[in-house]
Amino acid sequence: MTPATDIFAELNVALEDRSYPIVIGRRLLENSDFARLVPGKRVAIVTNTVVAPLYLATLTAMLEGAGKRCIAIVLPDGEEEKNVDNLMRIFDTLLQNKCDRKTTLLALGGGVIGDMTGFAAATYMRGVPFVQVPTTLLAQVDSSVGGKTAINHPLGKNMIGAFYQPQSVLADTATLMSLPLRELSAGLAEVIKHGAIIDAEFFRWQEDHMPELMARDDQALAYAIRRSCEIKADVVRQDEREGGLRAILNFGHTFGHAIEAGLGYGEWLHGEAVGCGMVMAADLSVRMGYLEPADRERIVALVRAAGLPIVAPDLGVHRWLELMEVDKKNEDGKIRFILLKPLGSATMTGVPSDLLEATLKACVVH
């Protein structure tokens, strides 16, 4: 008997012949009806040592019950594992199992697994089908949607990758119940980001409902995921390859990526670094005359309420600048930032060095 499934939303990322559905619901991994969104008869499930014991058997049983053959590739967990060695582990297993161009790669996990699996799918035999099954809030609201795939390099985060859209995204909210609180908070950083850059009303909704989100209320989480996916899907539709508009989705990320690289990948979670990065970007927005100080304080308060850090590590001004100079948005050696102008709207710009240094000094731990 097919288990009952709560469907909260079904969206579409409209990219002409690369369009695909996003299904947000509870208990999707148990329902064989959704095997139709996983193309082909052979599926290579890429996951990690934390997620595999929780959901690999359930997902495999669902897919095999629908007549598919599955193999599993279980990688170590952690941002520090998003590297070329683990990418090669994926390729090794695919080649050892004689996987062909009709084999679908399925990412079962958070953003690290999604990014690496997507990059493997983009490059294995020059492209095979790819499905996202995100199991963290951060992946469900952000990284699983839009087709950005990558691995990290010691000199820069996400600098080696490809734009490669999935065939579908299946976001099962039941997986969020097993998330550590720290991981839940990390996902809320991207939810906050979507409100801050595009939808001031959504930002206000979060201010009113952050306690429910932190308590994992089903309806609150479902709305936050759906609205975030709607916002990101619309941005991706307009600018799939980050030629202009899509760059605003990097609000807080220039500072955040510097924190991750400066401390060492995995020391802070990506969402923690982005949360703190948004506080820093809001401070810089005020110094540029783009944002009211009261709205900066609203951002600080919401980031704090989500359980995220609001004070950055003191890397030293020279090291901060060095790290931020390795960023995909930069042009002609100049650092470009996504700033709020005002809350609910974003712009990309260079900034005077004295204002940037003032933000760096004001926002770090003393």
Side-chain angles (χ1 to χ4, degrees), residues 62-347:
M62 184 269 275
L63 293 172
E64 291 184 342
K68 300 180 186 293
R69 291 182 297 139
C70 299
I71 61 171
I73 304 170
V74 182
L75 302 176
D77 178 52
E79 183 74 33
E80 66 276 14
E81 302 294 345
K82 188 175 155 182
N83 55 42
V84 69
D85 291 338
N86 283 311
L87 182 68
M88 288 302 139
R89 288 192 191 188
I90 298 173
F91 293 144
D92 289 347
T93 304
L94 295 175
L95 290 165
Q96 288 161 5
N97 285 273
K98 298 180 172 60
C99 293
D100 59 24
R101 279 183 169 157
K102 292 190 176 179
T103 301
T104 295
L105 267 63
L106 187 151
L108 175 67
V112 170
I113 287 295
D115 279 8
M116 278 200 296
T117 305
F119 190 31
T123 50
Y124 184 70
M125 294 191 172
R126 300 190 177 92
V128 297
F130 165 48
V131 169
Q132 287 269 22
V133 182
T135 60
T136 66
L137 181 60
L138 189 146
Q140 290 183 2
V141 302
D142 187 66
S143 63
S144 67
V145 179
K148 287 173 71 171
T149 73
I151 57 173
N152 294 334
H153 187 280
L155 297 179
K157 182 179 169 69
N158 292 334
M159 296 300 287
I160 303 165
F163 288 99
Y164 196 69
Q165 300 296 341
Q167 302 287 308
S168 59
V169 178
L170 299 173
D172 188 338
T173 60
T175 64
L176 303 181
M177 299 304 119
S178 65
L179 270 188
L181 181 59
R182 187 181 174 195
E183 291 273 4
L184 182 76
S185 292
L188 288 170
E190 300 287 359
V191 177
I192 294 168
K193 175 196 77 178
H194 288 128
I197 61 172
I198 282 182
D199 188 346
E201 185 57 42
F202 183 37
F203 188 91
R204 281 190 290 273
W205 178 89
Q206 293 173 52
E207 291 177 304
D208 292 338
H209 293 87
M210 188 55 71
E212 292 99 307
L213 291 168
M214 291 292 284
R216 307 178 203 238
D217 176 80
D218 255 345
Q219 294 303 317
L221 282 172
Y223 177 72
I225 297 166
R226 187 189 82 196
R227 185 67 191 122
S228 292
C229 286
E230 287 172 346
I231 288 169
K232 184 160 188 184
D234 189 53
V235 171
V236 171
R237 175 187 61 78
Q238 297 176 69
D239 180 20
E240 181 180 2
R241 292 181 173 264
E242 208 167 53
L245 175 66
R246 186 169 177 174
I248 68 171
L249 294 170
N250 281 306
F251 175 61
H253 285 58
T254 302
F255 291 111
H257 286 169
I259 292 171
E260 290 182 89
L263 293 179
Y265 296 125
E267 187 67 27
W268 281 29
L269 296 178
H270 175 65
E272 292 172 331
V274 168
C276 188
M278 289 190 293
V279 169
M280 300 177 78
D283 182 87
L284 188 53
S285 300
V286 171
R287 294 178 192 277
M288 289 287 287
Y290 295 165
L291 185 70
E292 293 294 329
D295 286 333
R296 174 188 57 196
E297 296 312 308
R298 291 173 66 195
I299 290 167
V300 171
L302 191 57
V303 169
R304 183 192 290 114
L308 295 162
I310 59 171
V311 179
D314 187 0
L315 304 176
V317 171
H318 176 75
R319 182 61 173 149
W320 272 105
L321 296 175
E322 183 180 59
L323 290 164
M324 291 189 292
E325 284 167 358
V326 184
D327 187 283
K328 297 183 294 298
K329 296 186 298 299
N330 296 348
E331 288 184 359
D332 299 324
K334 296 180 180 178
I335 305 170
R336 297 197 299 170
F337 293 89
I338 307 303
L339 302 180
L340 299 181
K341 189 182 182 180
L343 182 65
S345 181
T347 186

Side-chain angles (χ1 to χ4, degrees), residues 343-364:
L343 182 65
S345 181
T347 186
M348 182 165 60
T349 183
V351 302
S353 59
D354 60 327
L355 297 186
L356 175 56
E357 290 187 20
T359 285
L360 292 174
K361 291 174 181 176
C363 294
V364 302

